[in-house]
Amino acid sequence: MYTKKTKENCVDIQQWCSCYLLSRHECCGSHTSENTRLNQWAAILLQHIHAFPTSTLSTVRFSNRLILKNETGSGCFYCAVPRWFVCSHGGGRQRKLKANSLAGFHHVWRWRRCRLVVNVSCLCDSPGIYVKRTHTTVILKTTPTMDDCAQERPLFTFGVIADIQYANIDDGYNYSRSRRRYYRSSLQLLRNAQESWSESAVKPEFILQLGDIIDGFNKGHNASERALDTVLREFSSSPVEVHHVWGNHEFYNFSRSALLGSKLNSTLHTDRILSETRPGPEIYAYHFSPFPGFTFVVLDAYDVSLLGREESSEQYKSAMNVIRQYNNNEDLNCPPACEGLEQRFTMFNGGFSKEQLDWLDSVLSSADDKRERVTIVSHLPVHPCSTDPICLAWNFDELLGIIRSHSSVVCFMAGHDHDGGYVKDKDTGVHHLTLEGVIETLPDSNAFGTVSVYEDRMVLKGSGRTRDRVFLFP
């Protein structure tokens, strides 16, 4: 946050100014082994605050020193930096200082065991009239850049990809015939992702496949099993385990009972120790911990759905009662409204049962007590600002309410909306990411990401349509 800039913490730059970048204590140690790394971080710091030369400002004189402090507060290195006119910012937004003012700032940057503390003091001296000293502290909580994060080794990494929807058929269009779909090319884009993950300096611990692994058209061509084997063969080219999420296209091809016994049931095909508690025998939801202090929860977004259920079953009848409260169309894939949140009540969406929500609540309560970081994954998004409303889960509000009642959740990842989306929940700071779909990605592009996890953040390195993002933990 910023200390409000006032006349007291601004200096007229037409007067002679002397600006010092100092630590809280001007002491420098002799830890020369740290010098190279810290010198690099000094350069990164200066880039991060968007410093630029002031050679054209002949009336301003700067004499700068940068001192980096370790966690005990003792100085470990200092370096001289050239004359700069500084531009401060916060939350990723650059804010240029006015040409007639110079505001001091205080910048704190975490780097493993080291904390970088920079303080600016401004001395304003107008000869013959008065001598005025100002000392300002502005604390910025800023988002790291990708270059910053590259300097630090992550605790672990994982890959993420969504909506591959492979089918061995010619290209086509989406339901509304407004977007091109590249059914065969999606397999090559998966290969591109696999190659990138295998060549990473830090190999992923696992891959999150966020649902719709093959397209529903395979069912009509009697090619569901063949298409699935083709895609899973690509995934098996790497030894990294894959956690599969179920989407609507899984249910277009297979019944729920078939999926529970298939290779898409990740609980049956992993050496990782999974949670002992499960919400129910027919609900595909579980959680696992890839690293101490971190938990991933896989949810079943079609637990309440018309898809994958026998029409004679109680679950199908219950889901029909839910959707018919809002959608009276003969074709239930046609949304009940042209705009607004009611669009979500279509057959290609679904929801979460009370049993699954209660289970999630207990998992998050346990994570709260252990002070763990939790990432939840689902095919359907649950935040209205992270997706088109037509792609939301039926009872997204109930799941959001559970997330907001716990402190452990840091991120929610989903697919389904092929355009992707993102929002940071203003109340909780939880990051809601909807990943772009492979199926509607041009053959010469990509749509996948690699996520590096640190103690205080996750960093998404995107490829193609998927953009880079930094998720600071709440």
Side-chain angles (χ1 to χ4, degrees), residues 22-58:
L22 301 170
S23 67
R24 291 177 177 172
H25 304 285
E26 292 188 18
C27 56
C28 295
S30 58
H31 302 282
T32 55
S33 61
E34 298 281 350
N35 286 6
T36 301
R37 279 181 293 175
L38 294 176
N39 195 20
Q40 293 172 349
W41 273 91
I44 290 171
L45 178 65
L46 290 174
Q47 292 171 7
H48 188 61
I49 61 177
H50 302 295
F52 52 92
T54 60
S55 56
T56 58
L57 301 175
S58 59

Side-chain angles (χ1 to χ4, degrees), residues 104-117:
F105 67 94
H106 175 104
H107 193 104
V108 177
W109 187 261
R110 294 184 66 119
W111 171 64
R112 285 195 178 181
R113 297 184 58 199
C114 292
R115 180 182 290 271
L116 283 66
V117 181

Side-chain angles (χ1 to χ4, degrees), residues 76-272:
C76 49
F77 179 68
Y78 79 94
C79 63
V81 293
R83 304 190 319 178
W84 301 95
F85 180 65
V86 266
C87 170
S88 60
H89 69 92
R93 265 182 212 176
Q94 184 171 342
R95 180 172 63 86
K96 291 184 178 179
L97 299 176
K98 293 181 180 179
N100 64 348
S101 67
L102 177 66
F105 67 94
H106 175 104
H107 193 104
V108 177
W109 187 261
R110 294 184 66 119
W111 171 64
R112 285 195 178 181
R113 297 184 58 199
C114 292
R115 180 182 290 271
L116 283 66
V117 181
V118 179
N119 212 351
V120 174
S121 294
C122 299
L123 171 63
C124 177
D125 191 355
S126 180
I129 303 177
Y130 62 89
V131 175
K132 179 182 178 183
R133 291 177 181 268
T134 63
H135 182 78
T136 266
T137 296
V138 179
I139 301 174
L140 300 94
K141 183 179 180 182
T142 58
T143 300
T145 65
M146 297 301 294
D147 289 339
D148 299 335
C149 299
Q151 304 296 318
E152 180 182 354
R153 187 175 180 85
L155 302 175
F156 65 95
T157 69
F158 63 92
V160 61
I161 193 168
D163 297 87
I164 300 169
Q165 288 183 226
Y166 168 74
N168 187 19
I169 59 176
D170 294 337
D171 295 344
Y173 292 90
N174 60 356
Y175 182 77
S176 61
R177 299 194 63 79
S178 60
R179 300 292 293 273
R180 189 83 168 166
R181 292 187 171 179
Y182 306 93
Y183 296 105
R184 290 193 182 98
S185 298
S186 65
L187 196 64
Q188 181 58 52
L189 269 58
L190 172 58
R191 291 191 187 111
N192 296 345
Q194 288 284 92
E195 290 175 7
S196 176
W197 292 326
S198 64
E199 294 171 359
S200 298
V202 180
K203 299 296 186 293
E205 283 285 320
F206 57 91
I207 306 299
L208 292 178
Q209 188 275 114
L210 297 177
D212 285 3
I213 192 171
I214 60 174
D215 195 86
F217 276 127
N218 286 292
K219 184 70 172 179
H221 292 81
N222 197 28
S224 298
E225 291 286 354
R226 186 164 61 251
L228 180 60
D229 288 343
T230 300
V231 179
L232 292 180
R233 191 160 50 246
E234 290 298 329
F235 274 114
S236 64
S237 64
S238 167
V240 181
E241 72 177 20
V242 182
H243 289 269
H244 296 288
V245 178
W246 293 354
N248 48 311
H249 282 263
E250 275 77 8
F251 292 107
Y252 295 156
N253 285 281
F254 307 103
S255 67
R256 175 169 288 270
S257 59
L259 284 171
L260 287 168
S262 74
K263 294 178 181 179
L264 292 181
N265 184 344
S266 300
T267 66
L268 304 178
H269 307 282
T270 179
D271 295 328
R272 193 181 298 277

Side-chain angles (χ1 to χ4, degrees), residues 286-339:
Y286 65 96
H287 63 90
F288 66 95
S289 177
F291 191 89
F294 292 85
T295 292
F296 284 72
V297 181
V298 176
L299 293 183
D300 186 344
Y302 292 86
D303 178 15
V304 178
S305 173
L306 298 176
L307 303 178
R309 304 285 191 184
E310 295 291 336
E311 292 187 14
S312 59
S313 68
E314 288 300 320
Q315 294 94 332
Y316 184 93
K317 294 176 182 177
S318 176
M320 182 63 77
N321 289 336
V322 171
I323 196 172
R324 280 302 185 192
Q325 293 179 46
Y326 305 92
N327 193 334
N328 293 314
N329 293 321
E330 182 178 351
D331 181 1
L332 289 176
N333 278 317
C334 181
C338 296
E339 58 184 17

